[in-house]
Amino acid sequence: MGLLAALLAASLAALPSGDIQAAPKKAEAAQTAPIAQAKLNIGRSATPEEISGWDIDIRPDGHGLPIGKGTVKEGEPLYVERCAACHGEFGESAGRWPILSGGNDSLASHDPIKSVGSYWPYASTLIDYIRRAMPFGAAQTLTNDELYAITAYVLFLNDVIKTEDFELSDKNFGTIKLPNESNFFDDDRETSEKAFWRKDPCMSNCAAGHATVTGRARVIDVTPEQSKGPKVE
Amino acid sequence: MKEETPKPKGIMSRRAFLRTGLAAGGAVAAGGANAMPPQGNPANQPPNVPDWTRSLGEGVVARPYGKPSSYESVVIRRDVEWLTASRESSVSFTPLHALDGMITPNGLCFERHHAGIAEVDPADYRLILHGLVDKPLIFTLDDIKRMPRVSRAYFCECAANSGMEWRGAQLNGCQYTHGMVHCVMYTGVPLKTLLDEAGVKPNAKWLLLEGGDSAAMTRSLPMQKALDDVLIAYRMNGEMLYPENGYPVRAVIPGWEANMWVKWLRRIELGDQPWHHREETSKYTDLLENGKARRFTYVMDAKSVITNPSPQAPINHKSGFTVLSGLAWSGRGKIARVDVSLDGGRNWQTAKLDGPIFDKALTRFYYEFDWDGRELLLQSRAMDETGYVQPSKSELRKVRGVNSIYHNNGIQTWQLHKNGEVENVEIS
């Protein structure tokens, strides 16, 4: 823009005074030329204050932890009041809401329970998610101390924190480890499922005999009825 | 392979199967015993002149924003109530069986919300770009709309699409088994353009995308993808995004699981490592049989489904010339070929690909055949340009078990009955 403005000023300056007809023509030509600059200079600097209001993320290495503290004991009444209606008094869940505790040693079974203690790799995920999205319907209303207290209580429900007097804070958060951390691995489908890349998939007589039906959706009968559905205006 | 009868989760009413068809009073109903269409009113049929020909209809702007015919009122997004605890954190499904071509109408794109639809005033909309950048920036909607833009058609598929079918056939209708996918023409700014404006520091390897909804949805995105084909989009099929799809701005992450396509995008932070947030740890990780879990499984594997005939779209003629139709897509590139089987995967014929075949977009296929009125087991099998071939459900279960929830791209089987009815089945 600086360059453009300078060009414009130069072209105007070169015009004989009083010639108001020619100026806009030259300006139009300059404005329709493609911009070759690396930067568009669109958007403005974000101030630290603006960023701080929205920058709430917390990482496993502790980056982003807010300053605060809270004990398991302090967390219990807060949890009961704000969380238990959905997640159950002991994190066992009410209805279809997420289970928060239990399920240890269930991951290799046919009924895996993916709780904070049994499945989640990092405690930072818990405090980050409570901070950004909980309580459901009243997100980002907890104080930092309430946040640490509730997090401590949920970790207590999962036997990760062992005593009720334990005070969780930004200072000691890094000492909290969850048991399932080592059981995650990065996407390896391109090697472990290499067999799915096939040059010439079978086209005829690909399996012996006739196909037989071994299961039917209608037997369990859980499909919503076509004639029923949300009303459309 | 003998399939276990799957246990549906939650409480639901048990209904006699036939009741659906009988209660509908002659209308076409999913799974009805008689799939023949309604006969209509003879007074409107030749040689009689129908009402709509004798009188004037509504004038222009009687419908200032157009909508489908009232006779198409069943073509809507639907949900499965027992699936989730609340409608604010739930999904709805695209009625794939009622659509054609490769573009999804905006009003029918499936929804997935984690805390309901954020109603964002465009005048107050702001996008903050910060972290490991030379200059943290803040953009208004007007800023984003005046940047260089591109328009691209991409499919957007929830990683949990078909997730209810891991343990067996569960829902009768491709709307429910495969309807968490849509394909629209997105218009937006390449994310790379925004990053160039801010200046990326050399140690920036990951980005955090964050939504402005009440879940403040976050996902970690590798820098390589961000610089490749990610869009910061504000239009779908030419219109501004619909609120349920992220108005006014969402991320478009071509070929990758829809959970990463953060809606109501408010913040992008650059960092040197991933954040391991809720969506990429407790959710959207794929638990295998041995109890270990795969994470950062971004790419959606090649997949296809026959949309017609299907349980909600039975065949209405006894036999004769029949057009079988379906959709195929791959997160790794273009669809190269789709094969169709009428006998449960014993023998295959190559289908006709129709319409534009775009990178990481839905691709329409047709297979025309003379149906002799016999019972058939219909399947489709997609191949993409990398040579990936869509696996059967049993091949997939062999390597992944049944606990993964996400990324189920196994071959679907529909049983076409002699009366034209269609049913979701598992076969050996």
Side-chain angles (χ1 to χ4, degrees):
Chain A
M1 282 316 233
L3 184 64
L4 245 166
L7 271 172
L8 189 60
S11 66
L12 283 170
L15 288 167
S17 63
D19 188 354
I20 51 164
Q21 296 300 316
K25 264 191 185 165
K26 288 206 172 176
E28 272 168 30
Q31 280 167 352
T32 52
I35 309 268
Q37 298 147 276
K39 300 251 186 211
L40 306 168
N41 292 316
I42 298 176
R44 63 165 174 84
S45 289
T47 67
E49 292 72 36
E50 285 173 323
I51 295 169
S52 70
W54 286 4
D55 183 9
I56 56 170
D57 55 83
I58 300 168
R59 286 195 319 207
D61 66 353
H63 172 90
L65 278 169
I67 295 167
K69 58 181 167 34
T71 63
V72 171
K73 229 180 236 166
E74 288 160 352
E76 183 175 7
L78 289 167
Y79 175 91
V80 169
E81 188 192 326
R82 313 225 186 140
C83 319
C86 295
H87 294 295
E89 298 241 342
F90 303 100
E92 77 281 13
S93 163
R96 305 270 305 131
W97 298 100
I99 290 173
L100 298 183
S101 66
N104 294 336
D105 303 320
S106 72
L107 297 180
S109 77
H110 277 271
D111 191 15
I113 293 165
K114 299 198 268 186
S115 79
V116 174
S118 71
Y119 190 67
W120 297 27
Y122 303 109
S124 64
T125 307
L126 177 64
I127 191 166
D128 174 87
Y129 191 68
I130 296 173
R131 190 188 194 192
R132 70 179 52 253
M134 293 291 117
F136 191 66
Q140 300 187 34
T141 59
L142 298 173
T143 67
N144 289 348
D145 287 354
E146 288 173 335
L147 176 66
Y148 278 99
I150 290 174
T151 304
Y153 185 70
V154 175
L155 291 169
F156 178 77
L157 290 177
N158 280 283
D159 295 325
V160 173
I161 290 176
K162 309 278 187 195
T163 61
E164 290 188 25
D165 295 325
F166 188 90
E167 185 181 77
L168 188 66
S169 73
D170 52 298
K171 303 281 184 299
N172 64 11
F173 199 90
T175 64
I176 306 292
K177 301 284 173 214
L178 299 185
N180 198 43
E181 181 181 334
S182 63
N183 286 321
F184 287 84
F185 62 98
D186 290 351
D187 189 1
D188 65 345
R189 282 174 292 171
E190 288 185 14
T191 47
S192 66
E193 297 183 356
K194 213 171 177 173
F196 292 164
W197 277 264
R198 278 176 283 188
K199 244 207 158 88
D200 297 300
C202 178
M203 293 300 284
S204 53
N205 300 314
C206 303
H210 288 284
T212 41
V213 173
T214 57
R216 295 177 183 280
R218 65 163 60 162
V219 171
I220 61 165
D221 190 24
V222 293
T223 310
E225 291 176 46
Q226 177 83 344
S227 56
K228 289 185 183 157
K231 278 218 174 74
V232 178
E233 220 183 284
Chain B
M1 176 179 173
K2 184 102 180 148
E3 295 303 334
E4 290 180 0
T5 302
K7 278 195 196 120
K9 294 181 175 173
I11 302 158
M12 77 285 314
S13 65
R14 301 251 156 203
R15 293 173 280 107
F17 169 70
L18 282 173
R19 203 176 53 188
T20 317
L22 297 173
V28 179
N34 184 356
M36 297 302 283
Q39 294 307 301
N41 178 3
N44 288 328
Q45 297 170 16
N48 301 317
V49 178
D51 292 345
W52 53 78
T53 305
R54 288 179 196 273
S55 57
L56 294 173
E58 287 180 319
V60 295
V61 203
R63 307 168 193 199
Y65 191 97
K67 53 188 179 187
S69 159
S70 60
Y71 298 102
E72 300 295 324
S73 62
V74 297
V75 183
I76 51 173
R77 292 188 283 231
R78 291 168 184 276
D79 66 343
V80 178
E81 276 194 74
W82 53 264
L83 212 55
T84 52
S86 82
R87 279 212 158 99
E88 291 79 24
S89 181
S90 192
V91 297
S92 70
F93 301 85
T94 296
L96 299 177
H97 63 285
L99 304 175
D100 216 320
M102 48 82 71
I103 291 290
T104 313
N106 288 338
L108 296 177
C109 290
F110 79 93
E111 306 155 282
R112 169 71 170 112
H113 313 314
H114 296 78
I117 299 165
E119 293 285 354
V120 180
D121 183 338
D124 293 332
Y125 175 79
R126 295 292 184 276
L127 174 63
I128 295 179
L129 175 56
H130 73 112
L132 298 177
V133 293
D134 297 330
K135 185 184 172 191
L137 291 172
I138 187 161
F139 300 98
T140 64
L141 182 58
D142 275 348
D143 289 336
I144 293 167
K145 285 168 88 171
R146 76 184 175 99
M147 291 179 148
R149 79 197 77 136
V150 296
S151 295
R152 302 276 185 273
Y154 291 121
F155 79 81
C156 173
E157 184 185 20
C158 177
N161 199 20
S162 316
M164 288 95 77
E165 308 286 304
W166 272 110
R167 287 164 195 255
Q170 193 162 192
L171 287 158
N172 252 328
C174 66
Q175 178 163 17
Y176 305 110
T177 59
H178 290 73
M180 281 197 277
V181 65
H182 64 66
C183 183
V184 312
M185 179 74 79
Y186 286 102
T187 302
V189 187
L191 176 51
K192 185 180 184 307
T193 303
L194 296 184
L195 296 175
D196 285 345
E197 283 296 288
V200 175
K201 289 199 190 295
N203 56 334
K205 298 281 178 269
W206 289 83
L207 296 86
L208 185 75
L209 307 183
E210 183 177 87
D213 59 327
S214 193
M217 248 290 300
T218 46
R219 281 298 303 254
S220 306
L221 177 75
M223 181 62 75
Q224 204 182 349
K225 181 69 172 177
L227 297 175
D228 180 15
D229 55 4
V230 171
L231 299 182
I232 303 305
Y234 46 90
R235 293 187 184 277
M236 52 199 288
N237 293 333
E239 295 182 284
M240 284 301 286
L241 297 178
Y242 280 18
E244 58 269 40
N245 299 106
Y247 179 89
V249 174
R250 83 173 305 170
V252 167
I253 320 285
W256 289 16
E257 58 191 22
N259 183 251
M260 307 189 73
W261 299 42
V262 173
K263 301 190 285 189
W264 315 289
L265 184 71
R266 73 168 191 179
R267 191 169 70 93
I268 300 172
E269 181 174 349
L270 275 62
D272 59 356
Q273 53 184 278
W275 277 258
H276 295 281
H277 278 181
R278 188 244 197 186
E279 303 297 329
E280 48 213 13
T281 56
S282 81
K283 310 284 173 190
Y284 303 97
T285 48
D286 309 332
L287 182 59
L288 303 188
E289 198 99 295
N290 61 5
K292 292 186 183 294
R294 216 183 253 144
R295 70 179 164 203
F296 303 146
T297 46
Y298 305 124
V299 179
M300 300 309 295
D301 288 314
K303 186 167 171 179
S304 67
V305 65
I306 294 169
T307 56
N308 306 80
S310 66
Q312 293 163 289
I315 292 186
N316 291 326
H317 58 85
K318 293 276 181 214
S319 61
F321 184 82
T322 303
V323 178
L324 179 152
S325 170
L327 290 165
W329 60 98
S330 168
R332 292 191 174 83
K334 288 179 184 166
I335 286 296
R337 195 175 103 191
V338 177
D339 299 322
V340 166
S341 174
L342 306 181
D343 60 3
R346 268 58 186 167
N347 297 285
W348 297 87
Q349 306 286 330
T350 298
K352 196 160 70 179
L353 302 185
D354 182 81
I357 301 169
F358 292 141
D359 188 41
K360 306 179 184 86
L362 292 187
T363 299
R364 178 60 63 178
F365 67 85
Y366 296 118
Y367 177 71
E368 293 150 4
F369 70 109
D370 194 15
W371 181 41
D372 60 8
R374 262 190 307 175
E375 199 162 276
L376 301 176
L377 290 166
L378 307 175
Q379 296 187 334
S380 63
R381 179 178 70 187
M383 291 168 65
D384 69 22
E385 61 183 347
T386 72
Y388 182 98
V389 181
Q390 183 183 2
S392 69
K393 283 187 178 182
S394 58
E395 286 172 316
L396 203 59
R397 287 169 181 145
K398 212 174 281 173
V399 294
R400 300 208 196 145
V402 292
N403 289 340
S404 282
I405 300 176
Y406 306 107
H407 293 280
N408 184 348
N409 68 320
I411 290 172
Q412 173 67 43
T413 309
W414 301 132
Q415 184 175 28
L416 171 62
H417 293 287
K418 288 176 184 163
N419 63 359
E421 239 179 81
V422 183
E423 202 186 336
N424 177 10
V425 297
E426 293 279 329
I427 58 162
S428 61

